[in-house]
Amino acid sequence: MLPPAARLTRSQDFGLVVRRGRRAGRPRLVVHALMPDVPTLDSSKVGFVVSKTVGNSVVRHRVYRRLRHVVRPVLADLPPGTLVVVRALAPAAEASSSELAADFSSALRKLLTGKVPR
């Protein structure tokens, strides 16, 4: 589980990150990130979007758990106040945890450095 302080829960926050944040797409997921303009002491927060295009409820929940497991250790390394939304795409249903981790780390590296990962 993610600690409650590290979760995006309001739909307004999800919308803000998706509209105003930067985006990096990968074959199995899309990562949106909004970095604060001013340094802050707020904790970084993450939210997940796993829609019905991924699969039925069992498959969606499995993908959600895998993504949560992938994101948890990285959350502490994000700049304070960063908001992240991870949107799973349909191929995420057949992906292993290591494939999801590779896609997430690649997308996050691109968002944080502004460079395309190799």
Side-chain angles (χ1 to χ4, degrees), residues 11-117:
S11 64
Q12 294 90 350
D13 294 338
F14 278 84
L16 177 72
V17 174
V18 170
R19 278 192 318 277
R20 297 194 49 212
R22 296 180 61 203
R23 178 184 69 178
R26 294 292 171 260
R28 296 168 198 93
L29 50 89
V30 177
V31 179
H32 300 267
L34 181 62
M35 274 64 106
D37 296 331
V38 182
T40 179
L41 295 177
D42 294 341
S43 64
S44 297
K45 294 184 179 192
V46 64
F48 301 95
V49 178
V50 185
S51 70
K52 288 186 178 183
T53 59
V54 174
N56 64 24
S57 65
V58 173
V59 173
R60 290 193 313 267
H61 197 70
R62 183 182 311 126
V63 169
Y64 170 71
R65 284 193 316 265
R66 286 180 178 167
L67 287 173
R68 194 174 60 208
H69 180 73
V70 164
V71 171
R72 186 182 316 126
V74 179
L75 197 57
D77 299 334
L78 292 174
T82 302
L83 303 178
V84 177
V85 172
V86 180
R87 183 167 43 98
L89 301 175
E94 291 87 31
S96 67
S97 293
S98 61
E99 291 171 332
L100 291 174
D103 280 355
F104 177 73
S105 63
S106 172
L108 192 63
R109 191 176 321 115
K110 179 182 177 189
L111 290 172
L112 294 179
T113 64
K115 297 179 184 174
V116 177

